[in-house]
Amino acid sequence: MLPDAAYAELIGRSREDALVAACASLLEWDQETYMPPGAVDARGDQLAFLAGQLHDRASAPRIGELLAVLEGSSLLADAESASAVNVREIRRGYERQSRIPRALAEDLARTTARAQQEWAGARADNDFARFRPWLARIVALKRDEAACVGFVDSPYDALLDDYEPGARAADVARLYDAIRAELVPLIDAIIGASRQPSVEVLHRGYAIDRQQAFARSMAEAVGFDFAQGRLDLSVHPFCTRIGPGDVRLTTRYREDDLEEGLFGVLHEVGHGLYEQGLDPAHDGTPMGEAVSLGVHESQSRFWENRIGRSRAFWGFATGHARVVFAPLLDDVSPDAFHFAINHVARTPIRVRADEVTYNLHTLIRFELEVALITGALDVADVPEAWNDGYRRHLGLTPATDRDGCLQDSHWSAGLIGYFPTYTLGDVYSAQLLDAAGRDLGDLDAQIAAGEFAPLLDWLRGHVHRQGQRYTPAALVEHATGSPPDHGPLIAGLRRKYTALYDL
Ligand code: ZN
């Protein structure tokens, strides 16, 4: 068989896999938004069936035959060409999928579909005992998955690699150590500062329909295309791409809290802009897909924090907010609003945490996940270990499991190994902002004028359109000139909060 023919067949299969995966994504989106509760078992069967189909397709011996024809051929001579990237990444996926038994893939899909509903019920009732057997089942399945995939140092590496190719638990632990050493004294200084913001402005009672209108207008302003996307409500905000021209965001709003809905939307918009910015010519192949969850979170946390919590952004957005919420914000200056949305507090809830304490929340989850997957921690002891983590790293004890170990949906969805990607994304986002600023001139002036197109174009060129051409670390280095480095994140936080709080 000639390499050209083998490549055409391989890409044809990859594009068909993407069609099956898109069907599963749509079913999952529906499950989180409009599906009636009575459908949960049938939906689990549907998703398990598709997971089995995808597993069979991704581990088919035919893929191994096609890869064998291609590897070593002149088609792959340029390692950064689309053909070389696609073959390299299809090989990576094939190696992983062929090691995971079909029954395990189906079991994970069926179990997590049901577990998400059990988690939601347990969280509502503050009843960890109800969720415990489901979590125990998921941890056992993920440990099986790690054992099947294989690892050198820690079974956690096998799970982390699925979200952040090349990342290792030991490196993540070192990153957290370094960040924690910088953040803890900064948090102490901010919380101890005599100058503090008034946060009353965030809690004046903002009608949900106006919050929706404002969030949508901000999403449009920064470049999210609603002709190719949607924004709906869900218990836990997320973003999913169903296929070309169909990127869906969800969020939730609270009348007594202006921050949660708005910054939730800006976060998901960052994910959505990445998905809308992928190269359509490479749709259904690795060159047309996001490279990792860390890079994905770099885009969401970029728009949520680096831009959304900047003074420049509120120079632009305050006027719009005043119109939408009139007359509630008539007495509020951009400076006051900017200070209010950058309040810092030790709180038990990750999704409401400020950007300075946030990475301590993900650190706590990372430690627990490693302990669960290595077997050092029993699921029955999770509530106690959770509270212990909050005492050690944030100096507080959650009042309930609802505000403690039941707050996140990730584990019920089988997403163990995901939390560190938020912190990696934060690190990358600060590097990207610095690099974009060097290339684009006065970024603050552009943002304050509502001119987001140059910045979005820069991200499209340096990140979105690159697909999986580079590993995450290499992508960051190509885009910014430096390998992943937490220095710019810490320096940026220090600069901003020193000025705001007169440190
Ligand atoms: Zn995210």
Side-chain angles (χ1 to χ4, degrees), residues 380-459:
D381 299 326
V382 161
E384 203 182 305
W386 183 285
N387 292 348
D388 180 57
Y390 268 80
R391 271 192 295 276
R392 282 185 295 115
H393 294 303
L394 278 158
L396 65 93
T397 307
T400 61
D401 288 339
R402 183 191 157 93
D403 284 350
C405 65
L406 287 174
Q407 67 180 273
D408 295 313
S409 65
H410 299 60
W411 293 347
S412 70
L415 301 176
I416 297 179
Y418 191 122
F419 284 113
T421 68
Y422 290 109
T423 297
L424 292 169
D426 234 10
V427 166
Y428 304 159
S429 73
Q431 292 181 267
L432 291 169
L433 180 67
D434 284 359
R438 286 194 295 272
D439 288 355
L440 297 175
D442 193 345
L443 205 49
D444 279 352
Q446 293 169 28
I447 291 168
E451 290 164 13
F452 297 100
L455 180 55
L456 181 55
D457 282 347
W458 190 94
L459 290 171

Side-chain angles (χ1 to χ4, degrees), residues 267-268 271 296-297 300-301 418 422:
H267 180 98
E268 300 309 330
H271 286 305
H296 235 303
E297 291 300 334
S300 55
R301 296 187 66 73
Y418 191 122
Y422 290 109

Side-chain angles (χ1 to χ4, degrees), residues 162-237:
D162 201 22
Y163 303 120
E164 194 69 4
R168 295 286 173 268
D171 298 329
V172 171
R174 264 191 295 278
L175 172 66
Y176 272 122
D177 276 349
I179 289 183
R180 186 183 187 283
E182 303 271 6
L183 288 180
V184 168
L186 181 61
I187 293 164
D188 286 343
I190 294 170
I191 290 177
S194 52
R195 185 171 142 77
Q196 293 289 332
S198 162
V199 295
E200 172 274 329
V201 61
L202 303 173
H203 309 288
R204 289 183 176 177
Y206 296 94
I208 303 290
D209 62 334
R210 292 195 191 188
Q211 289 196 47
Q212 278 174 320
F214 183 61
R216 191 183 160 101
S217 73
M218 289 300 104
E220 265 172 340
V222 300
F224 186 77
D225 180 359
F226 278 95
Q228 312 203 39
R230 291 182 56 87
L231 174 58
D232 294 89
L233 296 174
S234 70
V235 176
H236 232 65

Side-chain angles (χ1 to χ4, degrees), residues 20 37 75 78 117 127 129 137 143 151 167 249 288 312 324 330 480 496:
V20 182
L75 251 185
D78 174 2
Q117 195 183 53
D127 182 7
R137 180 88 190 117
R143 291 182 64 172
F151 54 87
L249 319 175
V324 174
D330 285 2
T480 71
K496 175 172 163 182

